[in-house]
Amino acid sequence: MTQHSRLTQTEDGIDREKAQRATRLLLEALGEDPDRPGLQDTWERRVPDTFATLTEGTQREAKPTMRTFDAESEDLVVKTGIPFYSLCEHHLLPFHGTAHVAYRPGEEVVGLSKLARYVRWQSRQLTMQERLTNDIASGLADELDAPLVLVEMNATHLCESMRGIETESTTTTRTTIGDPTDVERERFQAAVDRAEGQR
Ligand SMILES: Nc1nc2c(ncn2[C@@H]2O[C@H](COP(=O)(O)OP(=O)(O)OP(=O)(O)O)[C@@H](O)[C@H]2O)c(=O)[nH]1
């Protein structure tokens, strides 16, 4: 390993040298030659870089800036159809789909793009769909000091599609923080139904 001059030190919150060694070992375990031309960059650069990006959700420095503005009403803000990609901690395979987020503002509202940025940031870690849904909801409640946050996530897990049960299905998870009124609950549900019906 040490003869490979392009080995780098720890950066991006991941131990790059370990990631390189691990990828080499995995390739060898699969009966591949990690030094053949097609695989050289795979273990040296591509896989460590990819996992550095896909685990940014564990890095506070990568968290988006949640710029806020004074709230002018307490009406629910609903953002539907946010695409997300995450990694299942059981098989290290992606699960991906659509997130729908709503919050009742406290003193402030956040820039609309930040809701999608926040979902993307949180999704970039090894997790389970249920935990991710909770993390996004509780994280947003904290960030926005919002008395009510609703998050629904609909996802396909490649560990179920590509292997194992080999069935493509959708898993829905929802977290509610706070106490929605009937009107708020219905508004969120109607927005989710509209967004899901459009696909
Ligand atoms: N609840 C939950 N389960 C998940 C999630 N992602 C993957 N799983 C499941 O985690 C389980 C792991 O089960 P194990 O029996 O330990 O692993 P396995 O032998 O690979 O299971 P199969 O996928 O059924 O072949 C599987 O049933 C997966 O479908 C998730 O986000 N939430």
Side-chain angles (χ1 to χ4, degrees):
M1 281 295 293
T2 46
Q3 77 271 24
H4 296 287
S5 56
R6 282 199 277 157
L7 286 180
T8 55
Q9 296 303 309
T10 301
E11 53 188 51
D12 297 346
I14 75 162
D15 186 328
R16 201 160 287 267
E17 188 172 332
K18 249 187 199 165
Q20 290 173 319
R21 269 191 280 134
T23 310
R24 258 188 86 87
L25 265 180
L26 181 60
L27 289 168
E28 283 170 8
L30 301 177
E32 291 283 353
D33 171 9
D35 292 319
R36 73 175 167 83
L39 292 179
Q40 182 79 29
D41 276 353
T42 300
W43 64 267
E44 270 199 347
R45 179 175 61 79
R46 294 190 194 107
V47 172
D49 285 355
T50 297
F51 275 91
T53 300
L54 299 186
T55 58
E56 272 178 9
T58 61
Q59 305 300 312
R60 299 300 293 175
E61 315 81 68
K63 185 172 77 67
T65 305
M66 301 296 279
R67 207 176 315 286
T68 56
F69 310 97
D70 288 345
E72 294 177 12
S73 89
E74 290 188 343
D75 283 349
L76 205 62
V77 178
V78 186
K79 182 90 167 160
T80 55
I82 302 170
F84 76 91
Y85 295 85
S86 189
L87 282 177
C88 139
E89 67 185 9
H90 302 125
H91 302 94
L92 306 189
L93 286 172
F95 63 96
H96 65 99
T98 308
H100 311 291
V101 172
Y103 72 99
R104 186 200 301 148
E107 300 288 309
E108 296 181 313
V109 292
V110 71
L112 290 176
S113 64
K114 309 304 183 188
L115 295 171
R117 286 186 185 280
Y118 193 82
V119 167
R120 181 171 62 196
W121 172 67
Q122 280 277 9
S123 298
R124 288 182 165 171
Q125 54 183 308
L126 301 178
T127 187
M128 292 169 65
Q129 185 176 333
E130 295 93 329
R131 193 190 312 142
L132 177 60
T133 311
N134 282 327
D135 285 348
I136 291 171
S138 58
L140 281 175
D142 284 351
E143 292 281 343
L144 309 181
D145 206 12
L148 173 71
V149 176
L150 299 144
V151 177
E152 178 171 311
M153 303 188 88
N154 295 307
T156 299
H157 291 244
L158 295 197
C159 68
E160 291 188 304
S161 316
M162 296 174 69
R163 54 155 302 286
I165 191 160
E166 294 185 40
T167 299
E168 180 129 348
S169 57
T170 303
T171 302
T172 300
T173 46
R174 185 180 282 197
T175 298
T176 303
I177 298 204
D179 196 10
T181 64
D182 288 346
V183 170
E184 286 172 326
R185 198 185 292 278
E186 281 162 22
R187 230 193 107 200
F188 182 61
Q189 188 61 53
V192 169
D193 289 347
R194 267 197 311 278
E196 291 291 329
Q198 279 164 7
R199 281 198 306 280

